[in-house]
Amino acid sequence: MMEGQVHLQRPKHVRLTTTKLLRRIIFLVLGAGLVSVGLEIFLVPNQIIDGGIVGISIITAHLTGVPIGVFLLLLNLPFLLVGYKQIGKTFALSTLFGVIVMSIGTHFLHPVEALTKEPLLAAVFGGIILGIGVGMVIRSGGSLDGTEIVAILATKRMPFSVGEIVMFFNIFILASAGFVFGLDHAMYSLIAYFIAFKMIDLTIEGFNESKAVWVISEDYKTIGDAIISRLGRGVTYMKGEGAFSGGDKQVIFCVITRLEEAKLKTIVDEIDHNAFLAVGNIHDVKGGRFRKKNIH
């Protein structure tokens, strides 16, 4: 080793415990299974598609007569190989497992009769079930669509976000449904896609979506005490400096649930209606003392 050279060790790969691995497998199976139900019991029989590889698989299966499960697996494989090398082993293996379960699920559910022949009902309920399933898979560290892998890699070379690239793919795919199944079915597909998109967010974030709150006020101590006593939430005081005034500022930081946002705003307004208040969405909270204290 040369003098002055720093030897950097790679961080050791942390293995999942048996409990966490089992939990991940269960949620991957449940999520992929729900996607299979949404596809074969609602969407596919009514010629309604979703975006991404799923949408391409539905169209290709309709044109060739080959079961959709075959295309779900084959069309995803090239992207999984790329994802394995570029994104990570755990993500790629979780995705491969989820795709296999989804493909098998569609195979066994294919002979089952659709629960409804009404396209609008199929779009709504199919979108809900599909979105919940995909959300569960994403929360478990996997994916069911290879286009997301392409989008993640493309953002490194293109001035577009992952969401913008995925949306471009999906607009093209949903437009293709108009030529294959007719304009009405393309519009039903758009409804199903929108509902699934919203359900994915809801499943990932949860109904009790957490909010990060920053408050700057001269009465920071009074506001902090009120949040602790009336909301039962812990607060952190941080030191800041005003860019314009150059004076010292005390910043209150805390994490609350979506349902507590209105009450917190009321507390702040009652004490200092001129206080600076910023609220932002956060997807996950871990560690610390986020658990709510009992208010007596």
Side-chain angles (χ1 to χ4, degrees), residues 7-266:
H7 179 67
L8 299 177
Q9 291 183 342
R10 288 187 177 183
K12 294 181 180 180
H13 178 72
V14 180
R15 291 182 177 273
L16 290 174
T17 62
T18 303
T19 303
K20 289 184 177 180
L21 180 61
L22 184 61
R23 183 176 181 273
R24 172 174 289 189
I25 292 173
I26 290 173
F27 274 90
L28 285 172
V29 171
L30 287 175
L34 284 175
V35 172
S36 303
V37 172
L39 289 174
E40 288 291 355
I41 306 300
F42 291 97
L43 300 184
V44 174
N46 289 282
Q47 297 182 339
I48 299 172
I49 75 168
D50 185 38
I53 297 299
V54 173
I56 297 174
S57 298
I58 294 174
I59 293 174
T60 311
H62 174 77
L63 295 175
T64 62
V66 178
I68 183 177
V70 175
F71 293 108
L72 288 172
L73 183 59
L74 292 180
L75 294 178
N76 271 301
L77 279 178
F79 302 112
L80 289 174
L81 291 174
V82 174
Y84 183 86
K85 295 179 179 178
Q86 301 293 329
I87 298 178
K89 177 181 177 181
T90 302
F91 174 80
L93 291 178
S94 297
T95 300
L96 177 61
F97 180 74
V99 169
I100 291 174
V101 173
M102 178 177 61
S103 301
I104 294 173
T106 56
H107 173 75
F108 285 105
L109 289 172
H110 185 70
V112 179
E113 187 177 354
L115 288 183
T116 178
K117 292 296 183 180
E118 173 57 46
L120 182 58
L121 288 175
V124 171
F125 285 94
I128 291 173
I129 294 172
L130 192 77
I132 293 173
V134 172
M136 290 175 68
V137 171
I138 292 175
R139 287 200 65 162
S140 301
S143 176
L144 294 176
D145 198 326
T147 56
E148 294 175 1
I149 298 174
V150 174
I152 292 171
L153 297 176
T155 53
K156 298 178 180 179
R157 299 184 178 182
M158 301 175 65
F160 300 105
S161 67
V162 173
E164 289 171 338
I165 295 173
V166 170
M167 184 170 289
F168 173 78
F169 276 122
N170 290 335
I171 288 174
F172 174 77
I173 294 165
L174 291 169
S176 301
F179 294 99
V180 178
F181 299 120
L183 188 58
D184 287 349
H185 289 278
M187 289 189 285
Y188 286 127
S189 298
L190 191 59
I191 293 173
Y193 173 73
F194 178 78
I195 292 173
F197 181 80
K198 290 298 181 182
M199 289 306 300
I200 290 171
D201 281 347
L202 195 59
T203 304
I204 294 173
E205 296 174 0
F207 287 94
N208 290 325
E209 177 186 350
S210 298
K211 301 275 187 176
V213 180
W214 295 265
V215 183
I216 301 176
S217 170
E218 296 296 329
D219 299 313
Y220 69 92
K221 193 69 171 64
T222 306
I223 294 173
D225 291 341
I227 292 172
I228 294 171
S229 62
R230 293 168 62 179
L231 278 184
R233 294 296 182 188
V235 299
T236 299
Y237 299 120
M238 301 183 292
K239 292 183 179 180
E241 181 181 344
F244 289 104
S245 65
D248 292 335
K249 300 288 184 181
Q250 290 291 336
V251 182
I252 303 170
F253 174 77
C254 67
V255 178
I256 60 174
T257 65
R258 177 170 54 88
L259 300 177
E260 294 168 332
E261 181 180 352
K263 187 173 181 180
L264 181 135
K265 288 180 178 178
T266 301

